[in-house]
Amino acid sequence: MKQTVRLFLVALFAGAITLGGYKFFEEKEHISFAPQETSNYIPTNFSATAAEMNTDFTEAAEKTVHAVVHVKNTTVSRQPTNIFEYFQGGGQPRAMVGSGSGVIISPDGYIVTNNHVIANATNLEVTLNNNKTYTAKLIGTDPNTDIALIKIDDDEQFPFIPFGDSNNVKIGEWVLAVGNPFNLTSTVTAGIISAKARDLNQFDGNPQSFIQTDAAVNRGNSGGALVNTRGELIGINTAITSETGSFIGYSFAVPSNNARKVIEDILEYGNVQRGILGIQVGNINPQIVEKYGISDTEGVFVGGIEKGSGADKAGIKEGDIIKQLDGYKVSKFADLSGYLGSKRPNDVVEVTILRNGKERKLPVTLVKLETFSIDDLGLEVKNTSSEELKERGLKNGVTVTRALTPEMAQYKLEGIIITKINDETVNDIDDVKRIMTQRNYRSPIKMTFMDTAGNINSFIFR
């Protein structure tokens, strides 16, 4: 009995304490906690660039979508049906249709596109965003830059996209790609400038300087517009790099300054005028660093000077490092070739060089580039000046400027002077063209040349 009373009293006491504590905390209105420290991390949903992400693309899209056209290219090829037609080049004609994009650049109907979009066309058909269709005529092409100019005519003026300055684009800048991928007309995609001055193939004999972007570009976008958020044309979409043939995050555009210069040359001269400094570009390696005491790895190293060129007359010397052109920063050869791609012969360019640790600015008058690609040899050659021939003790010859294939690059033939091909005297690149055109394609090619050490050699290419 006493044990029961004792347990009852303990339970009653515990209940009273529990109820009292509950009332105490329930009625307290100001409960204090330990002060909370300010967080020093950034939550994953936080955006420090919210203003940037609110960029409105609608105005740029509206300005440009009506000036980007669908280009249909019809080519005719012959398919041999028997062994005789195969060897004689006969066969039944067969029409093949390809498509791409183009950009109207003037109200009177001039359209810029890629050369590979209209190559070998027997008929060109252009469709506008309003579904009107026109037959286009070819004005001119430049395979080296992959730019072509075509034209359509109408009584009314066409919508067009004004050129922007591609030298002023910045990495990280928002851009739109406008085109007709997979025959889907009037398609707009957005991205940023991923890189500038990209050369995709150093052995194609064609130094390029592409704008790289991550705006989605696919088959059919070729020849379309790359525009900034103001609706200005800053590039012509040209290529993608992909193992599947479709977009995976990398696409490339010819800068608008280069495309504009090509178009103006085609209209004024009928061909493209290329201006060069007159230098041979060298590689910065341990031997060069030791010889010239180079400490700066950014820029273009001058490995040689062409006698009588603008660079020679301006005082540029072997061992100099080119840092800027007209104030435009030059970090690598693609920067230099890209900037000069928008210039013409006789233009004057202010070249900033680094020599013995000091910068100098020299005005250089560009000279005309006259070259010829010997595709069968994998070499590019240019005319040799009389000063160079006299210095080398020669009466004739053309100079190898660069290798066009990795196989030929390993022989380091840049700077040699070819005096004969197939035992015929070579005076200029016109002689090279004639000899290569008239030769028997099944016969080997004999090349006689003087190397940079002054020795006469002959190679036979089979």
Side-chain angles (χ1 to χ4, degrees), residues 57-69:
F57 300 113
T58 57
E59 183 178 355
E62 180 64 26
K63 285 181 177 179
T64 57
V65 71
H66 300 291
V68 175
V69 301

Side-chain angles (χ1 to χ4, degrees), residues 317-330:
K317 298 180 179 180
E318 181 180 339
D320 290 344
I321 298 178
I322 298 176
K323 303 291 292 182
Q324 293 181 354
L325 298 174
D326 291 334
Y328 179 78
K329 184 179 178 181
V330 173

Side-chain angles (χ1 to χ4, degrees), residues 360-386:
R360 301 184 183 186
K361 295 183 178 180
L362 302 173
V364 178
T365 301
L366 302 181
V367 295
K368 186 176 181 179
L369 174 64
E370 294 181 303
T371 64
F372 177 70
S373 296
I374 312 177
D375 294 329
D376 293 326
L377 296 181
L379 296 173
E380 180 188 77
V381 296
K382 71 176 184 65
N383 289 330
T384 309
S385 67
S386 57

Side-chain angles (χ1 to χ4, degrees), residues 158-458:
F158 296 99
F160 68 97
I161 302 178
F163 280 97
D165 188 348
S166 56
N167 285 338
N168 291 335
V169 301
K170 298 178 180 179
I171 295 176
E173 178 181 344
W174 282 105
V175 289
L176 297 179
V178 189
N180 304 277
F182 307 119
N183 285 319
L184 300 173
T185 59
S186 308
T187 298
V188 180
T189 57
I192 62 169
I193 299 293
S194 305
K196 298 168 60 178
R198 290 292 199 204
D199 189 349
L200 302 182
N201 184 358
Q202 61 177 319
F203 296 111
D204 62 357
N206 182 29
Q208 286 282 11
S209 186
F210 288 112
I211 295 173
Q212 180 182 330
T213 176
D214 66 351
V217 171
N218 283 289
R219 288 173 293 172
N221 270 113
S222 291
L226 187 70
V227 301
N228 57 26
T229 53
R230 296 183 297 276
E232 298 169 334
L233 184 67
I234 60 170
I236 301 297
N237 296 318
T238 299
I240 62 175
T241 57
S242 170
E243 295 179 356
T244 64
S246 297
F247 175 77
I248 57 170
Y250 300 97
S251 57
F252 302 90
V254 176
S256 60
N257 288 7
N258 298 43
R260 183 175 189 173
K261 186 258 182 185
V262 168
I263 293 162
E264 291 173 350
D265 281 357
I266 289 174
L267 289 173
E268 186 171 352
Y269 305 104
N271 55 44
V272 178
Q273 309 287 302
R274 289 187 171 83
I276 59 171
L277 294 173
I279 65 170
Q280 297 170 10
V281 177
N283 295 319
I284 299 178
N285 53 45
Q287 292 77 19
I288 293 296
V289 170
E290 182 179 355
K291 180 179 179 180
Y292 295 97
I294 296 172
S295 58
D296 199 324
T297 58
E298 278 196 325
V300 172
F301 177 76
V302 179
I305 300 293
E306 298 178 11
K307 296 294 183 181
S309 66
D312 182 36
K313 294 175 180 178
I316 295 178
K317 298 180 179 180
E318 181 180 339
D320 290 344
I321 298 178
I322 298 176
K323 303 291 292 182
Q324 293 181 354
L325 298 174
D326 291 334
Y328 179 78
K329 184 179 178 181
V330 173
S331 299
K332 54 187 181 298
F333 178 67
D335 292 321
L336 182 142
S337 62
Y339 186 82
L340 294 181
S342 63
K343 300 296 179 180
R344 294 186 178 86
N346 299 320
D347 283 351
V348 178
V349 177
E350 184 182 72
V351 181
T352 301
I353 62 168
L354 183 67
R355 181 187 299 168
N356 299 325
K358 296 182 179 179
E359 286 193 354
R360 301 184 183 186
K361 295 183 178 180
L362 302 173
V364 178
T365 301
L366 302 181
V367 295
K368 186 176 181 179
L369 174 64
E370 294 181 303
T371 64
F372 177 70
S373 296
I374 312 177
D375 294 329
D376 293 326
L377 296 181
L379 296 173
E380 180 188 77
V381 296
K382 71 176 184 65
N383 289 330
T384 309
S385 67
S386 57
E387 293 92 341
E388 289 178 288
L389 290 173
K390 184 177 180 180
E391 185 178 282
R392 302 281 286 271
L394 295 172
K395 295 182 179 180
N396 63 279
V398 295
T399 303
V400 173
T401 56
R402 60 189 288 134
L404 303 181
T405 63
E407 292 76 21
M408 293 304 295
Q410 65 182 327
Y411 296 111
K412 302 186 184 302
L413 297 177
E414 291 84 355
I416 70 169
I417 297 180
I418 301 174
T419 57
K420 294 181 179 180
I421 296 178
N422 291 342
D423 293 326
E424 292 191 52
T425 300
V426 171
N427 294 298
D428 51 32
I429 59 176
D430 288 333
D431 285 338
V432 177
K433 295 176 185 178
R434 174 181 54 79
I435 295 170
M436 297 304 296
T437 301
Q438 295 177 355
R439 78 178 186 87
N440 185 339
Y441 286 91
R442 296 182 180 180
S443 300
I445 302 172
K446 181 181 179 181
M447 182 180 77
T448 304
F449 63 94
M450 175 182 280
D451 62 23
T452 54
N455 303 313
I456 299 295
N457 300 283
S458 291

Side-chain angles (χ1 to χ4, degrees), residues 21-80:
Y22 170 77
K23 286 294 185 181
F24 175 79
F25 285 108
E26 182 184 45
E27 293 172 4
K28 280 286 185 182
E29 295 180 354
H30 52 281
I31 303 174
S32 62
F33 297 93
Q36 183 177 3
E37 295 183 356
T38 303
S39 172
N40 60 359
Y41 60 87
I42 301 176
T44 56
N45 63 344
F46 176 81
S47 175
T49 57
E52 295 288 340
M53 297 302 292
N54 289 332
T55 302
D56 187 0
F57 300 113
T58 57
E59 183 178 355
E62 180 64 26
K63 285 181 177 179
T64 57
V65 71
H66 300 291
V68 175
V69 301
H70 185 237
V71 179
K72 184 183 292 186
N73 167 12
T74 302
T75 61
V76 177
S77 61
R78 291 185 176 275
Q79 300 293 326

